Amino acid sequence: MSSTMKPPKGFAPMSCCWSTATMQKRLPFLAWLPDYTWHALKMDFIAGISVGLTVIPQALAYAEVAGLPPQYGLYSAFMGCFVYFFLGTSRDVTLGPTAIMSLLVSFYTFHEPAYAVLLAFLSGCIQLGMGFLRLGFLLDFISCPVIKGFTSAAAIIIGFGQIKNLLGLQHISRQFFLQVYYTFHNIGETRVGDAVLGLVCMVLLLVLKLMRDHVPPVHPEMPTGVRLSHGLVWTATTARNALVVSFAALVAYSFQVTGYQPFVLTGKTPEGLPDAHIPPFSVTTANGTISFTEMVQGMGAGLAVVPLMGLLESIAVAKSFASQNNYRIDANQELLAIGLTNILGSLFSSYPVTGSFGRTAVNAQSGVCSPAGGLMTGALVLLSLDYLTSLFYYIPKSALAAVIIMAVVPLFDTKIVGTLWRVKSVRGPDAGPAAGERPALPCDRNPPGGVTEPGSGKYMARWAALLEDFHKRGATLALIGLQVPVLRVLLSADLKGVLYFCTLEEAEKYLKQEPGTQPYNGSEDSVPEHKIALLKA
């Protein structure tokens, strides 16, 4: 009798649960670390420094949005850098505090640090559980209009919420409508120093951003002096947040020396990292002790909204940059990374974090090669907590308000309102994305196009309207993975301007203008042989 136990009939052969492939899937750094090069190390070092110089002033500013002391922004900015090194599947993504997440924290935690830290822990547990249960696909059911509407509204709320700091107004309510009323009601109390400095900082940030967007690429044949000048300009424009905040702090310190201070300052920031401790499961106040159950009830819907929005924002960022840079991510692995980040971060007084689009863009533009760039970013944040907190005292709040406003302006999509107004009701359960939605392919580098995978032909009467809307926008509609009955119906309808592909990869190659892949169009003669055989059968 053989000693090898055969699996029951109908079951796959048993394999080792800790195989190399499984280990590399659960710990992605094991896949790329053996091939790591000195060139990659150099590029990751540069990218890590660039992101670090961006995240430090942003973290201080986002803590203000969350209604927490400034140090909590820094407490939230380093853990994701280290966790993502081990668990992340995107080389570009950076985890940390963001404007939208800070706004949600402000809404659900009553500006109390204990609630914010507990929310980070519970959100991390939910996200980690979703990752283990492989529920990443659920995020696909949140439509593009919902996301665009939410981020645009959040940009308005966050941006206007900083007007009071930009103008130096005091004692303004945080509730949005009361905030609008009292901001205009107290406009006469504007501090001239804060207003001037805030506007100057906004102009400087805008100019530096425009410079960054219009810097010509470097070529090897350029003279050394030109390349050196390009490097200096690139560094200054990339680290523009840190540069502008440092300039504002220097101006404030100069006035402090003379004995006159026209600005509202950030104030004292505790030095160093807090000791690791479990999140607070109860809070003692002057009126008694608030139990864990009462804290959870107080946060209410935040226990669902915060983790889901964190996942949505992070995975959207990861997918966007993965498509631009031609690599793939694992959504469920990303859930594990962000969940563990929030759990471990809560041990060091972090509030909930997620993937940052702005800092991820800086990371990608800096030429990052792997998640190792985050190690330098995290180290820089820890060094700032140890050695720079005394300097944070002199940072004017108007300068941080300028940083926040300029960071959230790109979140407001001015085109989505008109697009959603014009879009027709052509979407069915199998009809793919509506004409107004952002297509699945990386349209940032290619002509706009849509890719959808229909499964039935019951909405044929609406295809003509859909194609007309795509045509008006200069877009191309590509259909992939069609079932034979569906393909037969579409071919018989003789729809113009539609491309048909067998696989998503073929569609991506064609829309990226890569040679070697051709679509088959509306005439049966151009359908591949295997499709012709199926149709004739």
Side-chain angles (χ1 to χ4, degrees):
M1 180 182 293
S2 173
S3 60
T4 304
M5 182 179 294
K6 294 183 178 180
K9 186 177 180 180
F11 288 82
M14 290 181 291
S15 60
C16 177
C17 61
W18 292 105
S19 64
T20 301
T22 302
M23 289 289 291
Q24 289 181 349
K25 185 176 182 180
R26 294 305 175 198
L27 298 173
F29 80 101
L30 295 177
W32 57 261
L33 194 58
D35 300 323
Y36 200 63
T37 63
W38 283 105
H39 173 73
L41 177 62
K42 181 185 73 172
M43 299 307 297
D44 287 344
F45 179 84
I46 294 172
I49 292 292
S50 302
V51 176
L53 294 175
T54 303
V55 71
I56 292 173
Q58 281 191 345
L60 295 170
Y62 290 152
E64 162 66 24
V65 176
L68 302 173
Q71 66 269 20
Y72 282 88
L74 295 175
Y75 296 161
S76 307
F78 69 89
M79 184 58 73
C81 302
F82 299 123
V83 172
Y84 204 79
F85 170 83
F86 296 101
L87 300 180
T89 59
S90 168
R91 68 168 180 259
D92 300 303
V93 167
T94 62
L95 300 181
T98 65
I100 291 178
M101 192 56 59
S102 299
L103 177 66
L104 293 176
V105 169
S106 172
F107 185 75
Y108 289 111
T109 62
F110 321 109
H111 314 139
E112 288 290 338
Y115 278 84
V117 174
L118 180 61
L119 181 59
F121 176 78
L122 297 177
S123 297
C125 292
I126 294 171
Q127 292 161 340
L128 199 63
M130 291 180 67
F132 282 126
L133 295 175
R134 307 187 67 79
L135 298 178
F137 70 91
L138 292 177
L139 300 178
D140 295 335
F141 291 95
I142 303 178
S143 66
C144 175
V146 172
I147 298 171
K148 290 288 187 180
F150 176 83
T151 54
S152 297
I156 294 173
I157 294 173
I158 295 169
F160 193 89
Q162 294 305 307
I163 297 297
K164 63 180 186 295
N165 290 328
L166 194 72
L167 302 179
L169 301 178
Q170 303 286 328
H171 311 299
I172 301 294
S173 171
R174 287 183 173 271
Q175 205 279 334
F176 180 69
F177 293 106
L178 293 178
Q179 195 173 75
V180 172
Y181 172 77
Y182 283 111
T183 296
F184 286 106
H185 183 268
N186 298 339
I187 198 75
E189 301 175 11
T190 299
R191 296 169 62 100
V192 177
D194 284 299
V196 172
L197 182 63
L199 292 175
V200 168
C201 288
M202 290 180 64
V203 171
L204 288 175
L205 289 169
L206 179 60
V207 170
L208 290 172
K209 183 181 186 301
L210 293 175
M211 287 177 62
R212 173 61 188 267
D213 294 341
H214 294 85
V215 171
V218 177
H219 300 290
E221 61 273 11
M222 287 182 173
T224 304
V226 175
R227 283 184 290 168
L228 180 61
S229 301
H230 182 280
L232 291 175
V233 172
W234 179 87
T235 302
T237 53
T238 299
R240 58 185 177 273
N241 288 328
L243 197 64
V244 169
V245 168
S246 299
F247 160 76
L250 185 61
V251 171
Y253 179 76
S254 301
F255 277 101
Q256 186 82 2
V257 171
T258 64
Y260 172 69
Q261 187 55 263
F263 312 119
V264 178
L265 303 182
T266 298
K268 184 175 177 58
T269 302
E271 182 178 332
L273 190 66
D275 295 331
H277 59 276
I278 62 173
F281 292 104
S282 62
V283 177
T284 302
T285 66
N287 297 325
T289 300
I290 302 176
S291 67
F292 172 74
T293 302
E294 292 172 324
M295 293 178 71
V296 170
Q297 290 174 346
M299 288 184 282
L303 292 174
V305 174
V306 171
L308 287 178
M309 282 307 303
L311 295 176
L312 179 63
E313 189 174 359
S314 186
I315 292 178
V317 170
K319 285 186 175 181
S320 174
F321 283 87
S323 66
Q324 290 181 30
N325 297 320
N326 298 315
Y327 63 87
R328 294 186 180 277
I329 65 155
D330 183 342
N332 292 302
Q333 185 66 24
E334 293 294 305
L335 297 186
L336 297 177
I338 189 173
L340 191 60
T341 293
N342 279 320
I343 290 174
L344 296 180
S346 68
L347 303 180
F348 295 93
S349 301
S350 165
Y351 66 82
V353 300
T354 185
S356 165
F357 191 90
R359 294 194 296 275
T360 299
V362 170
N363 211 22
Q365 292 166 1
S366 302
V368 70
C369 296
S370 74
L375 298 180
M376 182 54 59
T377 301
L380 206 58
V381 174
L382 291 177
L383 288 174
S384 71
L385 277 168
D386 272 337
Y387 300 106
L388 299 181
T389 50
S390 60
L391 302 179
F392 295 158
Y393 178 92
Y394 299 101
I395 297 178
K397 287 190 174 183
S398 58
L400 295 179
V403 169
I404 295 173
I405 292 173
M406 297 306 294
V408 300
V409 164
L411 295 178
F412 184 79
D413 192 342
T414 55
K415 298 179 181 178
I416 191 65
V417 178
T419 302
L420 294 178
W421 180 263
R422 293 193 305 271
V423 70
K424 298 174 177 61
S425 178
V426 296
R427 182 168 183 154
D430 298 309
E437 294 193 15
R438 182 176 178 83
L441 292 184
C443 303
D444 296 325
R445 298 184 300 167
N446 304 290
V451 174
T452 181
E453 298 186 49
S456 70
K458 29 181 204 178
Y459 291 94
M460 277 301 303
R462 301 181 180 178
W463 278 106
L466 174 64
L467 293 174
E468 180 184 357
D469 194 80
F470 267 71
H471 179 71
K472 289 179 180 178
R473 298 191 300 126
T476 300
L477 179 65
L479 305 176
I480 62 175
L482 297 179
Q483 301 172 8
V484 174
V486 180
L487 182 60
R488 182 185 297 114
V489 172
L490 292 177
L491 292 179
S492 64
D494 193 24
L495 298 173
K496 303 298 183 182
V498 183
L499 302 178
Y500 308 99
F501 296 91
C502 294
T503 65
L504 178 63
E505 288 72 19
E506 290 181 5
E508 289 178 336
K509 287 181 181 179
Y510 180 79
L511 293 185
K512 292 177 183 176
Q513 303 300 316
E514 294 184 8
T517 302
Q518 295 296 328
Y520 48 98
N521 54 36
S523 72
E524 188 171 327
D525 295 337
S526 64
V527 179
E529 289 298 328
H530 67 282
K531 286 292 183 183
I532 293 176
L534 288 173
L535 286 175
K536 291 180 177 178

